[in-house]
């Protein structure tokens, strides 16, 4: 995770960002700190990346790369406004022992568009990540990658449209995907939780699950009820200030899968 110490909405690179809407940075930091405390209270270990002045979106650390089996596939951001994040993240991965094959050849935005479900990686494309990056993840990380096309610019990253709940199930907003991707998801995950447009717009899909607890933005009311009905333990957190930049729980969270874990 990375503190929103320098968080701001000073440019617009997704439909949620409005540089004319004031941002309360102090409140953003408080919400992020509550997310950290939530993870720690659930027994998770949190590692921290040092924020860099002038990189206001660095708090959305999920976009920094994909880590599987102790290896990292690093981000290569689409927009110039975020490319300055690549160096600090790469140095952090190297300093913490995550192996990389060097810079990515293709534009990709890390776990923003790559979601690990058991031994599969679901990979989004259409707005931020080039589909060629999917083959690069296959070759570098040895992963079985399934490509899914995103079609609604509000859900520009996979993690705004789909949440991994367990090693064999997900929640997703069907309207964020094209018809063939919808059909594949319905077949592959027949027991998935279908997230309504209202809850998707509240960033409900931008959630983190450890298989039992699901840390979820507090405004996704029907999704929270559905999780509880399915036997999960939803843990709502307020992400309203960070949502002004188009991110919430999962955007603020990179999962570090070490060599003995998937």
């Amino acid at each position: 995770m990375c503190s929103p110490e320098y968080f701001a909405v000073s440019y617009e690179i997704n439909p949620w960002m409005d540089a004319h809407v004031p941002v309360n940075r102090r409140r953003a930091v408080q919400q992020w700190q509550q997310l950290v405390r939530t993870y720690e209270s659930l027994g998770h270990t949190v590692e921290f990346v040092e924020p860099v002045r002038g990189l206001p979106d660095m708090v959305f650390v999920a976009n920094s790369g994909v880590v599987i089996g102790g290896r990292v596939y690093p981000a290569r951001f689409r927009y110039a406004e975020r490319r300055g994040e690549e160096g600090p993240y790469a140095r952090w991965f190297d300093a913490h022992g995550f192996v990389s094959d060097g810079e990515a050849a293709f534009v990709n935005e890390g776990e923003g568009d790559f979601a690990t479900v058991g031994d599969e990686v679901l990979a989004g494309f259409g707005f931020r990540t080039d589909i060629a990056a999917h083959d690069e993840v296959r070759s570098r990380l040895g992963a079985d990658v399934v490509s899914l096309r995103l079609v609604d610019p509000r859900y520009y990253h996979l993690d705004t449209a789909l949440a991994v709940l367990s090693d064999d199930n997900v929640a997703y907003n069907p309207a964020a995907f094209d018809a063939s991707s919808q059909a594949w998801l319905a077949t592959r995950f027949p027991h998935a939780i279908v997230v309504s447009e209202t809850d998707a717009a509240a960033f409900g899909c931008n959630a983190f699950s450890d298989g039992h607890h699901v840390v979820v933005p507090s405004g996704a009311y029907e999704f929270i009820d559905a999780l509880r009905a399915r036997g999960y333990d939803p843990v709502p957190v307020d992400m309203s200030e960070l949502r002004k930049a188009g991110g919430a729980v999962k955007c603020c969270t990179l999962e570090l899968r070490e060599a003995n874990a998937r």
Side-chain angles (χ1 to χ4, degrees), residues 53-196:
R53 187 182 299 275
L55 297 176
D57 279 344
M58 204 167 165
V59 61
F60 301 128
V61 70
N63 304 147
S64 65
V66 183
V67 178
I68 297 177
R71 303 187 67 85
V72 59
Y73 177 63
R76 181 175 176 181
F77 287 96
R78 179 163 298 280
Y79 290 105
E81 290 87 346
R82 297 200 64 183
R83 289 178 195 145
E85 300 174 31
E86 294 168 8
Y89 285 138
R91 290 189 290 273
W92 189 92
F93 287 127
D94 183 62
H96 289 77
F98 293 97
V99 178
S100 171
D101 291 327
E103 296 180 359
F106 301 100
V107 170
N108 81 92
E109 300 200 348
E111 278 195 341
D113 274 322
F114 292 99
T116 300
V117 188
D119 291 330
E120 280 182 319
V121 174
L122 309 186
F125 72 102
F127 296 104
R128 295 293 188 89
T129 293
D130 290 348
I131 194 169
H134 299 183
D135 283 333
E136 198 166 31
V137 167
R138 288 185 184 98
S139 62
R140 289 197 185 191
L141 302 184
D144 180 11
V145 179
V146 178
S147 299
L148 302 170
R149 183 186 289 276
L150 298 165
V151 295
D152 187 330
R154 294 173 300 167
Y155 307 112
Y156 55 95
H157 277 149
L158 183 66
D159 70 1
T160 65
L162 179 147
V164 177
L165 299 179
S166 67
D167 283 344
D168 59 5
N169 206 13
V170 302
Y172 68 99
N173 170 23
F177 299 91
D178 72 358
S180 62
S181 298
Q182 288 184 36
W184 186 89
L185 286 165
T187 300
R188 173 65 179 83
F189 301 107
H191 304 296
I193 296 178
V194 174
V195 178
S196 70

